[in-house]
Every structure is written in C-alpha cells, then in structure tokens.
Amino acid sequence: QKADIGVVTVPRSGLRGHALFVENRPEIVGRRLVTGLRRGEPLFWSDIEGGNPLSGGLAADIRRRMRAVSINASGAAAVSGMVKPNDHVDVIGTFTFPKTLADGKTVVQDLVTCTMLQNVLVLATGKETAKTAPALDFGGSAYSTVTLEVTPREAEMLVFAEQIKGRPSLALRNRNDTSYQRELPQVDFAKIRG
C-alpha cells in the first residue's frame, strides 16, 4: 500500500545494490515483498517480487566488483532445498587432502571439512532468482545448482574446490545474522574423535 512506503535518507555508500528511489514509488505500489523488512530500512529492487521491470536479467542484480558463481548443491547440501534467492549462507567444503608422512612420503589421504565462505548472498537456486521466485513456496523446490554472489578471489576458490572434487554444502543463516567468525577450525577425524 502507498501508506506503507516512506522515505529514508541513506548515504549512497551504504546501499548494497539497486535501491529504490522516491520516483519509483508508483512502480511498486501493490507489489509483494520477497523478504521481510524492518521499519526505516531502505528498499531494493531485489526485495520486490518480479524485481525491476527495466533490469537486464541476473547480471543486473550483481553488485559492482562482485561475481556470480554457481556451485553444485542439492538435497541435504542445500538444506533440503529450502535455500532460496536472497538468503544468506555459509559455504562449507569437504576435501580429501594429501597428507605428508614423517618419512616424507605423500600417500595417505586426509579428509577435512572447513568453512570456506561466510554470509554469502544467494542470487539464484537453479534458474529461479528473487525476481522469478513465487512469493510463497513452502514446499522447497528441486534444483541442483545454487548461484552465489562472491568476490573474484572467492569465485576462484569455489571453482578450484569443485575441480578437486570438493563437496560443498550450504549452512543457511538467519536473515538478521551478519556475524563473522575469524577463526573456524578445520574438522577431521582427529577433531571428531577428540
């Protein structure tokens, strides 16, 4: 409703994407939100079902200096298909690393799990973006890829992880949780045994 839309002054540097401006008000009246917002928060096209009618696909939703990378993640690796566009996730990888023995040989494989990335924006699940996703979908859609917004370095890390047969899993975060943990331990057999 028109009465629900106000005006808030925000520094341009604080805007995370394509913000709506006062002149966009007529274009969004009567449209649904795809995310919950608190009073006084800026409104972005990615928060509106259907997005910006003038935007040019997913590429237009990627913030400057960021990249979109798709990873294979379905079923349990994608929280039973409950991960949706505009969610934030941590990316956890399980890898088989060569282990150097005391005699210098590198033959034994060590299985290690570690958090690779934290608080990453989900741009799409399968081919569904925030613009194309239905407003209410409680069943969890079937998809085999998740597209994430990452920095160029993080993109390289994700691509490399898949090339070495790493198995990425996603940990879904609360929408209001922006916490970041500096040091997360790697988990291996010894850590679990301990």
Side-chain angles (χ1 to χ4, degrees):
Q1 292 184 5
K2 194 171 184 176
D4 293 332
I5 305 168
V7 177
V8 62
T9 303
V10 178
R12 203 170 269 283
S13 61
L15 301 177
R16 61 173 162 76
H18 303 298
L20 288 161
F21 297 101
V22 175
E23 58 268 19
N24 299 123
R25 239 190 263 191
E27 300 167 53
I28 61 168
V29 172
R31 292 174 65 185
R32 293 180 179 201
L33 292 174
V34 295
T35 60
L37 294 173
R38 289 181 291 210
R39 185 179 186 89
E41 283 186 346
L43 191 59
F44 297 87
W45 281 113
S46 58
D47 297 323
I48 306 293
E49 185 179 35
N52 185 345
L54 303 175
S55 73
L58 183 62
D61 294 337
I62 304 167
R63 291 179 293 166
R64 287 179 50 127
R65 298 188 181 95
M66 299 297 277
R67 305 294 183 265
V69 172
S70 295
I71 61 170
N72 291 311
S74 61
V79 195
S80 299
M82 299 303 279
V83 171
K84 299 288 176 207
N86 272 351
D87 282 342
H88 285 252
V89 296
D90 293 346
V91 181
I92 301 168
T94 300
F95 308 95
T96 305
F97 291 117
K99 183 177 181 180
T100 305
L101 301 176
D103 62 3
K105 293 183 180 175
T106 321
V107 286
V108 178
Q109 300 290 314
D110 230 5
L111 195 63
V112 176
T113 297
C114 61
T115 299
M116 297 170 55
L117 303 172
Q118 296 180 55
N119 198 21
V120 178
L121 174 66
V122 176
L123 293 172
T125 54
K127 292 185 176 184
E128 190 173 272
T129 67
K131 295 175 189 172
T132 62
L136 299 172
D137 179 16
F138 300 109
S141 321
Y143 50 83
S144 59
T145 60
V146 174
T147 304
L148 306 172
E149 184 183 64
V150 294
T151 67
R153 291 280 182 218
E154 292 168 342
E156 290 173 354
M157 219 167 50
L158 289 171
V159 170
F160 179 76
E162 287 209 335
Q163 293 303 313
I164 61 169
K165 306 284 190 256
R167 290 185 304 278
S169 292
L170 304 177
L172 185 60
R173 298 173 71 104
N174 181 293
R175 289 182 188 275
N176 300 319
D177 180 6
T178 58
S179 64
Y180 178 83
Q181 294 186 29
R182 273 211 178 281
E183 294 184 32
L184 288 168
Q186 291 184 350
V187 178
D188 57 14
F189 291 116
K191 184 84 172 168
I192 291 173
R193 197 179 310 124

